[in-house]
Amino acid sequence: MSEIIAIEGGHKLNGTVEISGAKNATVALIPAIILADSPVTIYGVPEISDVDALAVLLEELNCTVLRSHDSLIVDPSRMENVPLVSDAVDKLRASYYLMGALLGKCKKVVMKAPGGCFLGPRPIDLHIKGFEALGAKVEFVDGAHVITADRLVGAKIYLDFASVGATINILLAAVKAEGKTVIENAAKEPEIIDVVNLLTKMGAKIRGAGTDTITIEGVEHLKGCTHEIIPDRIEAGTFLIMAAAAGERVIIQNIIPQHLESLISKLKEMGVKMENVGDSIIVYGDNKNFNAVDVRTQVYPGFATDLQQPMTPLLLKASGRGKIIDTIYEKRVNHVPELARMGADIQVLGGQIVYNGPTQLSGAPVKASDLRAGAALV
Ligand code: UD1
């Protein structure tokens, strides 16, 4: 696979694009499957390397994985709990969802620390505290987490921060625990609801997904089912921004607009013309006199940190000064020096990104430090 993308600028974007299944849901749904005792089929699986790495990990666990087009069938009925220490663990951050799932299913996990994009410090202390609250012992031995429990017993767990990863990992560990688990200050992202929908079809008893209190009644067995993944709101948002910045008439299909309300209202504030037709949004590029706006990232339903970097080049087209504050990942600013290389008047000052537009960017060699920084530079 090439590591270089070459782009000739100055061409207007026109046409239709179909949004895939949500990456951040997919990477949690696939590990969740191992909790079932019979095959699970998932539709709308995006073609991304994270799915390849998770398929490798499931095969290491002796699950059968069948992929065709956008569907994935996993048979976990002959699963064997082996230590997960191969390179596939390093390929994505979300490999850590196998910790919660294996703990929930087998009460034992040995897994090395996960990889993933650098967005600043990404601790997993809240995941670990959650596992411990359910009765697990967590050790870190020779670069691997060793998590064991004689019994997993439901507990009340308050998250100091509404972490997406911790909420899902605790859910996965708790669905088969004895008794009731309550996660307070839980994250409310749509991907969490999607994971809960899959677990519920598998037979889990969960209430409150999408609110800040999720209650789980443990069950003994979970069964196979079929599930269709929600559309990727971050991919959709990235195309909305791209169409606003460089499009004439772009139709983006398979969108749930409610998942993108904070972005859509920012785009309207800037003066972007859009029309919602069914599950599509049409972006019209006839207004290019955008208003400068400030962006502050927050947990859902606030402005997504994953859209902060893709949003930055569009902001550079607006007239005036503005700032971007990422309250989730303050160090998620690696796109800033690269955009400056392309001619932007932008810098990081005291933990904020400060820009002054409009700027006509020009082509330059730039480096994509992480996934969404790459989208911003494209
Ligand atoms: C998920 C998304 C990622 C997105 C992020 C925030 C996936 C696979 N990734 O990442 O794309 O950018 O949500 O919306 O879904 N924190 C702790 N301790 C923990 C866990 C998190 O301090 O144990 C902090 C993090 O450092 C960060 C904040 O909480 O500052 C949010 O992290 P979290 O919501 O957990 O993000 P991820 O699940 O890693």
Side-chain angles (χ1 to χ4, degrees):
M1 197 166 39
S2 170
E3 295 205 331
I4 292 175
I5 301 176
I7 298 159
E8 187 186 87
H11 299 275
K12 290 289 171 201
L13 305 177
N14 268 298
T16 303
V17 62
E18 168 101 18
I19 300 307
S20 333
K23 164 193 163 285
N24 285 351
T26 305
V27 296
L29 293 166
I30 296 174
I33 294 174
I34 66 164
L35 287 159
D37 298 325
S38 48
V40 173
T41 304
I42 300 196
Y43 298 106
V45 179
E47 269 183 57
I48 54 173
S49 59
D50 286 4
V51 172
D52 303 336
L54 284 170
V56 168
L57 291 170
L58 290 196
E59 281 166 352
E60 286 177 22
L61 293 167
N62 202 40
C63 297
T64 314
V65 181
L66 274 175
R67 286 169 78 181
S68 78
H69 184 48
D70 71 343
S71 69
L72 179 83
I73 306 172
V74 179
D75 182 355
S77 57
R78 282 178 298 277
M79 200 199 90
E80 286 167 23
N81 188 6
V82 297
L84 293 175
V85 290
S86 72
D87 292 346
V89 177
D90 307 326
K91 298 250 163 74
L92 75 163
R93 175 128 192 108
S95 50
Y96 60 31
Y97 288 135
L98 284 165
M99 282 183 190
L102 281 171
L103 179 64
K105 177 141 182 163
C106 309
K107 301 191 181 64
K108 177 166 185 187
V109 193
V110 179
M111 191 175 146
K112 74 173 173 185
C117 287
F118 177 81
L119 313 178
R122 300 183 79 180
I124 59 164
D125 55 311
L126 299 171
H127 306 228
I128 305 274
K129 276 188 201 161
F131 298 153
E132 287 172 341
L134 295 171
K137 188 169 108 190
V138 183
E139 294 166 295
F140 197 65
V141 185
D142 296 334
H145 288 99
V146 179
I147 311 173
T148 48
D150 296 331
R151 288 171 66 198
L152 286 175
V153 182
K156 198 170 195 175
I157 298 164
Y158 178 86
L159 298 179
D160 294 332
F161 185 89
S163 152
V164 175
T167 302
I168 294 178
N169 236 340
I170 295 168
L171 265 164
L172 296 173
V175 280
K176 294 188 77 181
E178 297 167 40
K180 182 157 101 178
T181 299
V182 181
I183 309 175
E184 291 181 338
N185 197 30
K188 294 184 278 212
E189 272 67 1
E191 293 75 20
I192 293 169
I193 303 178
D194 207 28
V195 173
V196 167
N197 284 342
L198 172 78
L199 291 169
T200 303
K201 287 183 209 167
M202 284 163 59
K205 295 207 169 112
I206 305 167
R207 289 168 61 93
T211 77
D212 55 13
T213 304
I214 302 180
T215 307
I216 306 135
E217 285 286 351
V219 296
E220 277 186 31
H221 297 288
L222 293 170
K223 60 179 190 304
C225 64
T226 60
H227 182 76
E228 169 107 28
I229 304 173
I230 55 167
D232 195 308
R233 64 195 165 99
I234 307 300
E235 185 189 338
T238 303
F239 279 114
L240 286 174
I241 294 164
M242 199 181 267
E248 278 177 348
R249 184 171 182 272
V250 177
I251 303 171
I252 301 155
Q253 294 178 331
N254 193 28
I255 285 196
I256 300 179
Q258 291 80 354
H259 290 172
L260 282 155
E261 269 173 4
S262 54
L263 172 69
I264 289 170
S265 58
K266 270 290 158 200
L267 293 178
K268 284 188 179 154
E269 200 183 326
M270 289 184 75
V272 176
K273 287 195 190 156
M274 285 168 292
E275 189 186 358
N276 184 190
V277 183
D279 70 350
S280 298
I281 294 181
I282 308 171
V283 183
Y284 299 97
D286 44 358
N287 176 19
K288 292 289 186 242
N289 295 314
F290 297 127
N291 308 312
V293 297
D294 294 339
V295 171
R296 172 185 284 267
T297 73
Q298 313 238 274
V299 295
Y300 187 82
F303 194 98
T305 167
D306 287 345
L307 286 172
Q308 177 265 108
Q309 291 166 304
M311 183 73 173
T312 310
L314 175 64
L315 293 172
L316 294 172
K317 293 199 162 254
S319 305
R321 293 173 180 276
K323 55 182 188 283
I324 305 165
I325 304 172
D326 196 325
T327 71
I328 314 290
Y329 290 112
E330 193 187 303
K331 300 247 159 33
R332 199 170 200 175
V333 293
N334 284 337
H335 57 312
V336 171
E338 303 306 306
L339 290 168
R341 230 186 250 267
M342 295 172 79
D345 181 354
I346 187 167
Q347 53 184 312
V348 182
L349 277 179
Q352 302 184 353
I353 300 170
V354 184
Y355 69 91
N356 187 13
T359 317
Q360 176 60 55
L361 297 178
S362 48
V366 289
K367 184 170 165 34
S369 56
D370 56 85
L371 179 59
R372 312 299 176 184
L377 298 173
V378 168

